[in-house]
Amino acid sequence: MLALTIKRKWFNMILSGEKKEEYRDIKDYYKSRFSKVLGMDPNWLTDFALQKSSQFEVKFNNGYSKDCPSFIADCSLSVGEGKEEWGAEKGKCYYILHIKKIRWKSTDNSGGYLDE
């Protein structure tokens, strides 16, 4: 499972259902991480390959401590321009994590709930 840290504002907006995407810069660091979780060769992580990608789980953490607030969501991945109201810069392309469903959440990372 991929783990990513996000700021409280975006964390809370995703949990409330207001924000449906999370953005990551198009860099080799994220290319490597996304390729690994998708089981793809990094050289094949392209727009075309991402259209065929399936959902995968991402654990979003609001902080770096072991007991920080977190949630696990089913996501899919694409490349494109994000929405400014959700933190993207105008005219900039990102890896876009599309949040499909939140499976688990916890305010202290020691317990939470699972959606069935």
Side-chain angles (χ1 to χ4, degrees):
M1 176 183 334
L2 181 63
L4 298 171
T5 302
I6 60 175
K7 293 180 179 180
R8 181 175 306 272
K9 177 181 179 178
W10 310 130
F11 182 92
N12 290 337
M13 285 176 72
I14 291 169
L15 283 181
S16 74
E18 183 180 349
K19 185 178 183 205
K20 306 286 186 186
E21 300 173 347
E22 177 59 14
Y23 309 116
R24 291 293 184 256
D25 287 334
I26 297 179
K27 295 183 176 182
D28 287 342
Y29 174 76
Y30 288 113
K31 182 178 186 178
S32 172
R33 294 186 77 193
F34 292 137
S35 296
K36 187 174 183 177
V37 77
L38 290 169
M40 292 181 178
D41 181 313
N43 296 321
W44 292 99
L45 188 63
T46 64
D47 232 1
F48 176 75
L50 292 174
Q51 290 173 12
K52 309 279 186 214
S53 75
S54 58
Q55 292 186 146
F56 55 96
E57 286 186 335
V58 178
K59 183 177 184 184
F60 292 95
N61 298 305
N62 178 231
Y64 294 97
S65 69
K66 68 177 182 175
D67 59 351
C68 65
S70 61
F71 65 87
I72 296 172
D74 292 339
C75 298
S76 63
L77 186 67
S78 69
V79 173
E81 291 186 24
K83 298 181 180 186
E84 289 181 72
E85 62 269 25
W86 291 348
E89 293 177 28
K90 186 175 183 173
K92 183 176 177 180
C93 280
Y94 295 91
Y95 287 117
I96 302 172
L97 288 152
H98 302 274
I99 314 250
K100 303 297 185 183
K101 183 175 184 176
I102 295 173
R103 293 275 177 197
W104 177 90
K105 74 175 181 177
S106 175
T107 57
D108 61 5
N109 204 15
S110 64
Y113 72 88
L114 286 172
D115 282 343
E116 296 302 325

